[in-house]
């Protein structure tokens, strides 16, 4: 069965926490059209960074590099994003359970992070990861629609 992975990472600093810069950041998309020649063996990865004015930069990458566990069993796809940065905030002591998708369904899962630089010299930086994962054949604009399942695992970042 086909699995389509889109990973969007938006990153910023305190400069985009308020005002016009925050408005630009908050207006960034959480879903993009897929490239016309999407292959089952690659993930559509989009990076949007404050230093580039949150302009989307898309690449194709190995799905193994995407921080999400994908496992097919009993005709369903189990989806569960990994939380790798143990030094990041907010703490996530109780996470939602994995999502099990039936063919034709897709999930949008969002997680956010706050990091401090070494010794706190450069201040805080932030990430928002959005994982759009579809199970089964899809068209190129699938992630522009409403997901079957939406998990908002964003915490307060202060």
């Amino acid at each position: 069965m086909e699995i389509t992975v889109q990973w969007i990472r938006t990153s910023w600093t305190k400069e985009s926490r308020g005002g016009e810069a925050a408005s630009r950041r908050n207006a960034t998309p959480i879903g993009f059209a897929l490239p016309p020649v999407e292959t089952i063996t690659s993930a559509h990865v989009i990076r949007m960074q404050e230093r580039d004015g949150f302009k989307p930069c898309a690449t194709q990458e190995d799905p193994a590099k995407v921080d999400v566990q994908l496992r097919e069993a009993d005709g369903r796809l189990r989806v569960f994003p990994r939380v790798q940065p143990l030094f990041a905030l907010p703490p996530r002591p109780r996470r939602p359970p994995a999502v099990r998708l039936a063919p034709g369904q897709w999930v949008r899962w969002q997680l956010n992070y706050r990091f401090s630089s070494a010794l706190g010299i450069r201040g805080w930086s932030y990430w928002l990861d959005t994982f759009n994962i579809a199970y089964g054949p899809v068209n190129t604009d699938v992630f522009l629609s409403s997901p079957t399942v939406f998990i908002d695992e964003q915490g307060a970042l202060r």
Side-chain angles (χ1 to χ4, degrees):
M1 184 69 67
E2 292 180 41
I3 300 170
T4 305
V5 177
Q6 184 177 79
W7 176 23
I8 303 165
R9 174 165 286 166
T10 307
S11 57
W12 66 96
T13 68
K14 67 180 181 177
E15 303 302 320
S16 293
R17 292 246 6 224
E20 187 178 313
S23 295
R24 275 193 312 276
R25 173 179 50 85
N26 289 331
T28 59
I30 56 174
F32 289 85
L34 296 167
V37 184
E38 180 68 17
T39 63
I40 299 170
T41 59
S42 68
H44 185 217
V45 178
I46 298 103
R47 302 276 189 250
M48 294 182 287
Q49 299 177 349
E50 175 186 76
R51 68 176 176 243
D52 298 328
F54 300 106
K55 179 182 170 193
C57 178
T59 62
Q60 296 287 346
E61 294 184 19
D62 181 347
K65 293 182 179 180
V66 178
D67 282 336
V68 65
Q69 296 173 352
L70 302 172
R71 188 173 339 153
E72 286 183 281
D74 303 322
R76 290 189 173 265
L77 177 67
R78 182 183 183 276
V79 178
F80 193 66
R82 296 180 196 98
V83 176
Q84 293 289 347
L86 297 176
F87 53 88
L89 294 173
R92 300 180 201 279
R94 304 189 94 207
R95 297 196 60 211
V99 170
R100 292 177 45 90
L101 299 175
Q105 295 183 326
W106 71 278
V107 61
R108 173 171 288 143
W109 197 311
Q110 292 189 299
L111 298 111
N112 61 348
Y113 302 93
R114 181 182 76 183
F115 302 93
S116 94
S117 63
L119 304 174
I121 295 170
R122 289 185 302 175
W124 298 101
S125 62
Y126 305 87
W127 288 354
L128 172 62
D129 280 343
T130 302
F131 298 98
N132 296 317
I133 314 283
Y135 191 47
V138 296
N139 56 29
T140 59
D141 63 351
V142 64
F143 298 135
L144 301 178
S145 64
S146 296
T148 309
V149 180
F150 176 66
I151 306 290
D152 185 351
E153 201 177 347
Q154 297 180 71
L157 297 178
R158 294 179 284 165

